[in-house]
Amino acid sequence: MSENMEKVYDVIVVGSGPAGLTAALYCARAGYETLVLEKYIPGGQMVTSNEIENYPGFPEAVDGFTLTMNMKKQAERFGAKQTYGNVTALRLDDDVKILETEDGTVYRAKSVVLAPGAAPRTLGLPNEDALRGKGVSYCATCDGAFYKDKTVAVIGGGDTAAGDAAFLSAMCKKVYLIHRRDRLRASKSYEKKLDKPNIEIVFDTVTDEILEKDGKVGGLRLRNVKTDEACEIEVNGVFVAVGNVPATDFVRDILDLDENGYFMAGESTKTNVPGVFAAGDCRKKTLRQIVTAAADGAVAAHGVEEYLS
């Protein structure tokens, strides 16, 4: 275990999605020594978005990678530092908080902003994990190019699913949008994008099995929830868009979470431990968007400033 007992940051931000990067920007700009710990790549789910139309200031839309890099550079301009590390253990009771990463490195800080985001929810089907990367995907913008002129299915009915179907329709021969209810949950702006000849919406239907062919996805076994009638369709890929699960397991026994694993932190972003704040999609809230995550980051930074002063 590597531990530098001398170095104590003013604030450590866990996660570099829009909430984490905004918190880092505000904290660094306020003069606090700020470190961002990122598990994989900057941007979180934002970086996988091909076209973001509802973030203020971009009338022609912006792709997630560009927006991520702009946020990252802005935080770094004011002195925020970033390093890679998957936080697996925390000690938060004392004035100096201790965070340990998967590789045994230990970091110390006077305050902590937790913005780990959320991960895609799986369908829970028997061979889903085995076929992941072999036709099963949770990111249309990441993997859509592999299915040019092929037939795919998108499972879900919200904004993400509708956006994925519209995005894939530009390159795929056929796109099935499969939803368990009789109407989509997606906003009207997304529904309009689905009016394309190669998109077929299949309502009142669930996926019972992902069919394998030659070691890859070959089709889906579907079931109508009203008639119980089953059928099979041939697809080369399936894109799962049925929501997210907060990435909060590493603090499950330390901080207060709700029944779904979201931080019980109100609009102040304060957790049940003084000096520890939760921001972004990991927090219990009514709306999870890039703009609300960024707002959480600003509020959390304000909380840090009040706490440290």
Side-chain angles (χ1 to χ4, degrees):
M1 180 173 67
S2 172
E3 183 167 3
N4 182 357
M5 299 301 290
E6 302 299 323
K7 182 67 174 178
V8 179
Y9 291 92
D10 291 319
V11 56
I12 288 179
V13 179
V14 178
S16 65
L21 290 175
T22 304
L25 164 64
Y26 273 67
C27 288
R29 189 169 179 269
Y32 295 113
E33 191 170 13
T34 305
L35 176 69
V36 180
L37 292 177
E38 170 53 45
K39 184 176 180 180
Y40 296 123
I41 59 174
Q45 295 184 83
M46 174 173 66
V47 79
T48 67
S49 298
N50 181 62
E51 188 177 54
I52 298 168
E53 295 182 322
N54 57 357
Y55 191 77
F58 295 89
E60 302 302 323
V62 61
D63 67 273
F65 178 80
T66 298
L67 187 56
T68 295
M69 291 299 104
N70 285 347
M71 288 184 176
K72 182 175 182 291
K73 290 175 183 176
Q74 192 174 10
E76 290 174 342
R77 174 191 166 199
F78 291 99
K81 305 297 183 183
Q82 180 173 329
T83 190
Y84 291 98
N86 179 25
V87 177
T88 55
L90 303 94
R91 284 173 277 169
L92 304 174
D93 293 336
D94 296 331
D95 290 340
V96 175
K97 321 298 182 185
I98 298 176
L99 298 81
E100 184 176 345
T101 59
E102 193 172 36
D103 65 359
T105 303
V106 172
Y107 298 92
R108 294 153 54 84
K110 300 172 186 176
S111 62
V112 176
V113 176
L114 296 172
R121 187 183 301 277
T122 65
L123 297 172
L125 297 176
N127 59 348
E128 180 178 359
D129 190 58
L131 291 172
R132 187 167 186 163
K134 301 175 182 178
V136 173
S137 173
Y138 303 87
C139 178
T141 55
C142 303
D143 301 326
F146 296 116
Y147 299 91
K148 186 177 180 180
D149 298 326
K150 296 183 178 180
T151 298
V152 300
V154 176
I155 300 177
D159 286 352
T160 299
D164 286 353
F167 171 74
L168 292 165
S169 70
M171 63 189 76
C172 296
K173 179 174 66 175
K174 172 84 173 184
V175 179
Y176 293 98
L177 178 56
I178 301 166
H179 186 44
R180 60 180 179 173
R181 297 193 175 100
D182 59 1
R183 59 188 300 179
L184 297 176
R185 294 181 291 107
S187 60
K188 293 296 182 183
S189 62
Y190 279 94
E191 286 189 31
K192 292 178 182 178
K193 298 180 180 181
L194 299 176
D195 187 17
K196 297 183 179 181
N198 63 336
I199 296 179
E200 180 179 341
I201 304 177
V202 185
F203 289 113
D204 300 318
T205 298
V206 294
T207 302
D208 281 343
E209 186 179 355
I210 301 173
L211 304 175
E212 180 182 341
K213 183 179 180 180
D214 299 327
K216 299 179 180 180
V217 169
L220 297 175
R221 180 171 290 119
L222 307 176
R223 176 172 50 84
N224 186 288
V225 296
K226 292 184 176 178
T227 66
D228 211 37
E229 182 180 354
C231 70
E232 293 183 4
I233 60 172
E234 292 186 7
V235 296
N236 305 109
V238 54
F239 293 85
V240 181
V242 292
N244 299 292
V245 179
T248 56
D249 280 348
F250 68 108
V251 292
R252 184 165 295 278
D253 299 323
I254 302 173
L255 298 173
D256 289 346
L257 308 176
D258 73 359
E259 65 277 8
N260 295 312
Y262 290 97
F263 285 112
M264 294 290 289
E267 292 301 317
S268 69
T269 73
K270 294 178 181 178
T271 69
N272 57 298
V273 175
V276 180
F277 305 85
D281 285 1
C282 59
R283 184 175 74 82
K284 185 176 183 179
K285 57 199 299 186
T286 56
L287 182 65
R288 294 183 176 89
Q289 295 283 304
I290 296 173
V291 69
T292 62
D296 275 6
V299 173
H302 177 70
V304 167
E305 188 169 359
E306 284 188 332
Y307 176 77
L308 294 180
S309 62

